[in-house]
Structures are given as C-alpha cells and as structure tokens.
Amino acid sequence: MKNSKLSFLRPIFLFVMLGIMILTISRLAIFALYKDRLVEVDNYLEMFSLGFRIDLILMCYLSFIPALVVTVMPSTMRHITTRFLAIYCSIFLFFIFFMELVTPEFIDQYDTRPNKLFLEYLIYPKEVATMLLKGRLITIIIMMLVLALVIWLLKKTASYVFSVPKSTWLVRLIVFPVLGFFLFWGARGSLTSKRPVNASNSVFSNDQLANVMGLNSLYTVAFSLYSLKNETDPAKLYGKMSQEEAITRVRAYMDIPESEFTSNEIPLLHPQDADSIQDRPYNLVIFLQESLGAEYVGCLGGLPLTPNLDSLAAQGLLFTNLYSTGTRSVRGIEAVTTGFLPSPSESVVKLPNAQQDFFTLANLLKPKGYNTSFIYGGMANFDNMASFFSGNGFDDIIDETSFTSDGNKYAMKGTWGYSDEDLVLKANEYFKSLGDQPFFSLMFSSSNHEPFEFPEGRIELYEEPKASVHNAMKYADFAIGKFFELAKNEPYFENTVFVIVADHNTRTYGNHLVPVDKFHIPAVIIAPSLSGERYDKLCSQIDIPVTALSLLGADFEHPMPGRDLLHLPDSVPGRAIMQFHDINAFRVDNEMVIMQPNRPAVQFKLEGDKNQIPMELDDELAKDALAHVLLANYLYKNREYTLPYLLK
C-alpha cells in the first residue's frame, strides 16, 4: 500500500490490525488459562469467530475519527495529522492492552470480563488500590512493568507506524464514502439485521465465561457504560408487561389473600400480624456476613470453618436452602434491610430515588420506639451506605471514624477498616448503652474480604499462608462466636432476635448462565422462641427480613414481597430470585427461568444446584419471572415502595 494512491489509509489499517492482534492474542491466552473448562462447552470454537466479529466492531468504531481526520486534513499538514493519529491510536491501543491485561484477574474474581462492576470499583481507588497491593502485589508489579514497556514502545514507534503518506485531496474525498460505508458496516456488524450486533450476540452456550470469551474487555466496559441508560427500564432488556399484571403476579407469590392488600398508592402494602403481642417488642440485630457462602459453612455440608456458627445453628433456626439475590454487598444489604426485589438496575442503596422515604426495616421500626443503627468497621460512605441509611430511618451510623475517635484500643485496622472482632466489641458496648429501649441494628462484617486481613493468634489457621479466604472465613466465625459470648452475658440478649446471614458468596462463577450453587448462603435466626430447628425448603434472601419480623412480638404493615417462612404452608413451593450481572434467574422449586438481555427466556430443571437440564419453557412461569423484575422497576420509579407515614 506504500506506493498506492490509497496509501493514506495505511495508518488506519495498521491501527485496526494491531488492535485485533492484541485482542486475539489475549483471547488465546485466556482460553489457555481456562482450557479445561472451556473445551467442555459444545462448539467452543465459536468463541473465536464471535470474538473476531466483536473485535472488528470495536476497531471500526474507534477508526471513524482517524478516517475523518485523514480525509479532511490537507497534505501540507501531514505532520499534524501524523501527530494526532500517533496520540489517538496510542491511547486506544494502550486502553485495549490494559483492559485485556487486567481481564484474567477480573475473571478469577467474578467469572466474567470487566463490566459494570469494574466501573463501580473505579469510584473507590483508595480501597481498591490498597486491596490489590496487599493481596496481589506481585501481579501488580508485573502488570506495571508490562504497561511501562508498552508505553515506551508506543512512544518510540507511534510516529513512524501511524505516519500519513502524501495523497491528493480528490482521491481522499472519493474514497471516503466507501471507507465510511465499510466502517459503518463493520461497526454495526450487519446490514441485514434490524439491530446492530451487541454483547447478546456472543451468547452461544449456557456457560457465562464461554459467552464473554466472544467479547473483548474494552467493549464490555464501554457497553456497560452505554447500557446504563437501560438500567431504569428492564422492559427494554427482557420484555414488556403492564404494571397491573406485574402486581397481580407478584402478589400471588406472597401467599397473602388479595383482600389484605391495603393501599393503592403502595401496591404491596399488607399487614403482618404477630402470633402473640409482647409488652415490649424484641430487639432485632442482623449480623450481615461478608462473602460467607454455604461452601464455607460446616453445618451446610461445606468446609469445617464455622464451628461457632454451626453451634448457633443447633440453638436456633437454620435455613439450609437459602439463596442470595446477587453477588455484591449492596445487593445483600438491599435484600435484608429493605426486602426489595433484585433487578438489573443498581441496588437501591445507590439509586437516587431511594435515598429517602424508601422502605427499610429502620423506617418500619423507628415509629414503634426502636433505636436504629448501622455498625460497620469500615467507612460507611463506601457503596453509598451512609447516605442511604441516614435518609431511611437509621438513627446512628457507627463506622471507622467512630472507632478512631473513641480512644479505645482495638485489635487491628486493615484495608477495609477495623476487624470483625473490633466490630462486635463496639456493637456490644453500643447495645448495652441503650438500656431498655428496643433497638434494630445492622452489623456488617468485613474481615472476610480480600486481602483477608485479621489479627494474629485468634484462630488455628486452616492453611498457609495466613491471608487466605479459608482462614478469613474461620476468623469471621471466631468473631461471630465472640459476639454471642459477649451478648449472652448482657440483659439485652434475652430480648433480642438475632439474624446471621451472608450478603453473597466470595467468587460467583461456574459453567452455567447462572451458577446457582454460588448463590447458596447460610442464615441462622436465634430467638427466644426457637431452638434447634431447620428450614429445608427453597427460599430467598428477601424472605429473611419478613420472617424475622414475625418473631418480634408486634404487628406490622409493610410492602415487602418476601414470605414469612415460619407460616408458609408446606403446599407452597419454594422460590428464589438471583441477579447475575444482567441475567435474572427466577427459580420455583427445581425449575428455573433465566432471562437475558434481548434474548428469549430459557428454562432449566435443576438436579441439585450444579446440574441444569434444559427444558421446554413454561410461558406462565416466564411471565412470573418477568413480573418480578419489572415490578421492582415500577415500584422504584414511581416511589411506591414505602410506608404510609413517609408519604405524608
């Protein structure tokens, strides 16, 4: 092309080829890392053809501006055009390389390419940087060296590689419509389809990782950023349904007579009557455990890491078949404090319309004379928790700043704040200070979060090195035991319902669209009326706050769609709802409908959590699944998930 009249296209051609080369090599490398798993997928080679198509789409998008600049800039200004192309192409090649370089670490953690979660973590550079430096120092050093080398190479060679040869303006103007057509065609991915090719076109299997292998990481992050416009309208992702039908279908799953719904303004508002009324209602403490999946819990058949939780399970009510609603802490917080339905939108903890007058247990209990609090060893501004809690009924927010300012000595302050041991000591002192006032508190642990820091000498290590997920889980269990050891010696213990529940599992991955086994989490309720009981039916994290309310000895009226599991008839099948990135799973008993963006719903029969057998779609079950995800959007958008006194 050097001596051709079309030689002015050389820098664009090289830009596209270099980008595709980087992406192809990266895809091959990632495939090699996960080969044992990926070769089990039928037609697994499709990921390479699909990947090339997406890579070409990305590079065509990125080539529009260079094509325009090369066309309109006169040859007498070739040095300016060359400088612009060198900078522009170098920046994007660097970002392409950078995103592919970080992809294996992201996959190792989340079993998918960088996506919306990657963008969210950019909001907290200090915490993320500290976590990476402590947990993956060698990897970070290698990455920094590689990136430095890439920057040096680009700086040395870009002006030569992307230099613009002489050409006549007439030739460029004639060629530009043809070039523009091919770039448009390449960026759209098709001329015959009504929709441009997008991330959903990479779906060819039931393995989430195999599907994202047909993408590239700069594309997935950019597509996640672009898709934010859809986050408030899941109807664009999964399909449409009237609000009235969605309300009717969700109500049917609540096992409440239609006549008991009490408000037109708050569609799910209904009474929940206590079996017996206490003169002084019981306190409620929810101890939310960071990343404590069922696989780490001995009494659920997991590893022998939780002797204290196992012992407490024998004293209270153990939920053996409970599933989280998502894979992030804010989703777990959403489930246990608001009972809100999960959706592809961000958790309500972060959404603007939920920052005040949104239903929470604190807003429910506060008018009944409860003190309400959130107690956390880290900074409560993380994930917008402080803003959400302070605007929705929590009187006191006790976080890292409270530990620092009270002058007491604590066991350890790590990346995510003070240790779980310090958290329970702080909580116990706070509960004691409340005297006889009833209280509701959300305690949130953090020590069992990477980089897995905890004080020396507290536990017998399960393995070496110390900073491992298994040792951290064992320390988290130590802190649970410490808390109950302290609480049992205080007057408030006999008047309190305690809930120990996980927010989510550690790593959510597997060779299915939704790895159900990684959503399995523990929950135990310790209450005056419970002793050595088990609940074995399928249930959801959103059922836990409703069930806990039934033990407090007071009548309530609330809009939570979860079920009171203590009074659910045996004839009613269990149900769980799971949000996995932008995929929604709705499970009833052992049948599960999965909804993916811009694709028809599919259904599976579950034999255990890991064996998912495709089956014919039940249209009514699919509509029920759609109703639950759409109603979450309707209620949020219309501010209809609240309490009557908050509407005044």
Side-chain angles (χ1 to χ4, degrees):
M1 188 180 289
K2 185 174 181 180
N3 299 317
S4 168
K5 291 182 178 181
L6 300 179
S7 60
F8 70 94
L9 297 178
R10 181 175 63 89
I12 299 173
F13 176 79
L14 290 175
F15 176 54
V16 172
M17 290 299 101
L18 285 171
I20 290 177
M21 181 181 72
I22 293 169
L23 295 169
T24 301
I25 292 173
S26 173
R27 186 171 293 107
L28 289 168
I30 296 171
F31 176 79
L33 287 173
Y34 295 93
K35 180 180 178 182
D36 290 344
R37 170 177 165 185
L38 293 172
V39 295
E40 294 181 1
V41 175
D42 291 340
N43 302 318
Y44 68 88
L45 291 177
E46 281 191 45
M47 65 183 69
F48 293 100
S49 59
L50 292 169
F52 178 80
R53 188 182 191 187
I54 294 294
D55 296 346
L56 187 60
I57 287 172
L58 174 68
M59 296 312 299
C60 285
Y61 268 116
L62 296 179
S63 297
F64 274 114
I65 291 176
L68 184 62
V69 170
V70 166
T71 300
V72 301
M73 292 292 285
S75 290
T76 55
M77 301 178 67
R78 282 188 302 121
H79 63 289
I80 297 177
T81 306
T82 294
R83 184 170 179 80
F84 171 81
L85 290 181
I87 294 172
Y88 179 94
C89 296
S90 294
I91 288 173
F92 279 102
L93 287 174
F94 174 80
F95 277 122
I96 289 169
F97 183 84
F98 172 77
M99 291 306 306
E100 293 303 312
L101 187 64
V102 301
T103 294
E105 286 292 319
F106 196 89
I107 290 175
D108 185 59
Q109 188 70 23
Y110 297 107
D111 206 46
T112 191
R113 282 186 179 272
N115 54 16
K116 184 176 67 176
L117 293 180
F118 185 87
L119 295 172
E120 290 176 11
Y121 274 122
L122 293 179
I123 301 172
Y124 308 103
K126 178 183 175 182
E127 288 85 352
V128 173
T130 304
M131 177 182 70
L132 292 175
L133 289 173
K134 290 186 177 182
R136 288 175 163 82
L137 180 59
I138 295 176
T139 302
I140 294 300
I141 292 173
I142 294 172
M143 283 186 176
M144 295 301 292
L145 291 173
V146 172
L147 289 174
L149 177 61
V150 170
I151 292 172
W152 181 81
L153 286 172
L154 288 171
K155 186 176 180 180
K156 288 290 185 182
T157 62
S159 295
Y160 171 76
V161 172
F162 301 111
S163 63
V164 181
K166 287 183 179 181
S167 60
T168 65
W169 210 339
L170 179 61
V171 170
R172 283 182 275 138
L173 289 175
I174 293 173
V175 170
F176 182 72
V178 179
L179 176 62
F181 169 76
F182 278 104
L183 289 178
F184 172 78
W185 184 7
R188 198 176 188 278
S190 171
L191 292 179
T192 57
S193 172
K194 292 182 179 179
R195 287 178 176 270
V197 171
N198 58 40
S200 66
N201 291 92
S202 73
V203 177
F204 72 99
S205 76
N206 292 330
D207 188 325
Q208 170 71 358
L209 179 59
N211 292 335
V212 298
M213 285 291 291
L215 302 170
N216 62 68
S217 296
L218 184 59
Y219 180 91
T220 56
V221 170
F223 189 77
S224 296
L225 192 61
Y226 169 79
S227 297
L228 290 176
K229 68 183 182 64
N230 291 330
E231 285 202 333
T232 56
D233 189 3
K236 292 183 179 180
L237 301 179
Y238 305 131
K240 297 180 179 180
M241 177 181 288
S242 70
Q243 182 170 352
E244 292 72 23
E245 182 179 357
I247 291 170
T248 299
R249 288 181 177 274
V250 172
R251 282 179 173 180
Y253 276 84
M254 294 169 64
D255 194 50
I256 296 170
E258 187 69 25
S259 60
E260 292 194 16
F261 291 95
T262 58
S263 171
N264 292 324
E265 291 79 16
I266 308 173
L268 300 186
L269 191 69
H270 65 279
Q272 183 176 349
D273 298 332
D275 291 335
S276 62
I277 302 297
Q278 302 289 327
D279 292 336
R280 179 202 180 280
Y282 290 129
N283 311 315
L284 175 60
V285 173
I286 298 178
F287 196 175
L288 190 62
Q289 294 295 309
E290 171 69 46
S291 304
L292 185 61
E295 64 193 271
Y296 305 111
V297 179
C299 61
L300 294 180
L303 296 173
L305 304 174
T306 57
N308 292 295
L309 184 60
D310 298 346
S311 176
L312 290 167
Q315 302 169 36
L317 171 60
L318 171 66
F319 297 86
T320 63
N321 205 10
L322 175 72
Y323 292 80
S324 65
T325 57
T327 62
R328 292 290 312 281
S329 295
V330 281
R331 189 65 78 189
I333 290 170
E334 172 187 75
V336 302
T337 63
T338 77
F340 196 61
L341 294 165
S343 78
S345 296
E346 183 55 85
S347 162
V348 294
V349 176
K350 292 186 173 183
L351 293 179
N353 282 358
Q355 297 309 301
Q356 61 182 13
D357 299 335
F358 195 82
F359 173 81
T360 65
L361 290 176
N363 271 330
L364 177 68
L365 296 172
K366 191 172 180 178
K368 291 184 176 290
Y370 278 70
N371 170 276
T372 55
S373 63
F374 170 60
I375 307 177
Y376 177 52
M379 293 297 293
N381 64 348
F382 188 80
D383 272 344
N384 200 53
M385 294 185 295
S387 175
F388 177 78
F389 290 138
S390 63
N392 287 300
F394 285 78
D395 294 316
D396 296 320
I397 296 176
I398 301 169
D399 71 352
E400 181 179 310
T401 58
S402 302
F403 289 73
T404 303
S405 62
D406 70 6
N408 291 323
K409 292 183 179 180
Y410 292 100
M412 194 193 76
K413 181 182 177 184
T415 299
W416 294 97
Y418 286 87
S419 70
D420 291 359
E421 180 180 347
D422 298 322
L423 169 70
V424 304
L425 290 169
K426 188 78 168 179
N428 183 61
E429 290 301 316
Y430 179 76
F431 298 154
K432 286 163 57 178
S433 73
L434 298 175
D436 195 45
Q437 181 183 9
F439 60 85
F440 160 62
S441 185
L442 174 67
M443 300 166 58
F444 186 23
S445 76
S446 60
S447 294
N448 41 346
H449 192 299
E450 195 174 6
F452 310 125
E453 301 166 298
F454 54 90
E456 298 282 351
R458 271 36 177 203
I459 62 169
E460 181 180 345
L461 297 182
Y462 179 78
E463 62 192 2
E464 293 288 352
K466 176 192 171 191
S468 74
V469 62
H470 296 138
N471 290 330
M473 294 298 171
K474 195 170 182 181
Y475 173 74
D477 179 74
F478 163 82
I480 293 172
K482 183 75 173 179
F483 176 61
F484 279 90
E485 177 187 331
L486 294 169
K488 286 178 179 178
N489 292 321
E490 303 299 337
Y492 71 80
F493 180 80
E494 297 296 332
N495 294 317
T496 303
V497 173
F498 298 92
V499 179
I500 309 166
V501 59
D503 57 355
H504 57 84
N505 203 336
T506 45
R507 293 177 57 230
T508 306
Y509 64 94
N511 56 351
H512 296 291
L513 292 173
V514 176
V516 174
D517 60 308
K518 294 298 181 180
F519 284 78
H520 189 195
I521 59 171
V524 174
I525 296 181
I526 306 294
S529 60
L530 299 174
S531 179
E533 301 175 38
R534 292 167 58 99
Y535 187 87
D536 296 324
K537 184 187 290 187
L538 174 69
C539 54
S540 172
Q541 207 172 22
I542 64 171
D543 299 325
I544 293 299
V546 182
T547 303
L549 285 182
S550 71
L551 297 166
L552 298 188
D555 294 336
F556 298 101
E557 188 178 47
H558 62 76
M560 288 189 287
R563 297 158 156 180
D564 177 3
L565 301 177
L566 296 176
H567 297 92
L568 188 70
D570 293 338
S571 59
V572 177
R575 172 224 54 199
I577 310 168
M578 292 160 277
Q579 192 72 39
F580 186 47
H581 307 304
D582 55 5
I583 301 174
N584 186 277
F586 186 79
R587 177 181 176 184
V588 177
D589 202 0
N590 287 323
E591 295 186 3
M592 179 173 66
V593 170
I594 289 181
M595 296 182 296
Q596 304 172 77
N598 307 312
R599 296 183 66 85
V602 292
Q603 187 167 335
F604 298 88
K605 184 176 182 62
L606 274 68
E607 294 181 351
D609 282 349
K610 294 185 177 182
N611 192 15
Q612 301 181 19
I613 303 170
M615 61 181 296
E616 184 178 352
L617 182 69
D618 181 333
D619 289 336
E620 288 301 306
L621 187 60
K623 289 179 181 178
D624 291 340
L626 181 62
H628 280 76
V629 72
L630 292 184
L631 187 60
N633 176 61
Y634 292 141
L635 296 178
Y636 165 76
K637 183 176 64 177
N638 299 328
R639 298 179 184 267
E640 294 177 347
Y641 195 74
T642 185
L643 290 165
Y645 86 91
L646 296 173
L647 292 176
K648 297 176 183 178

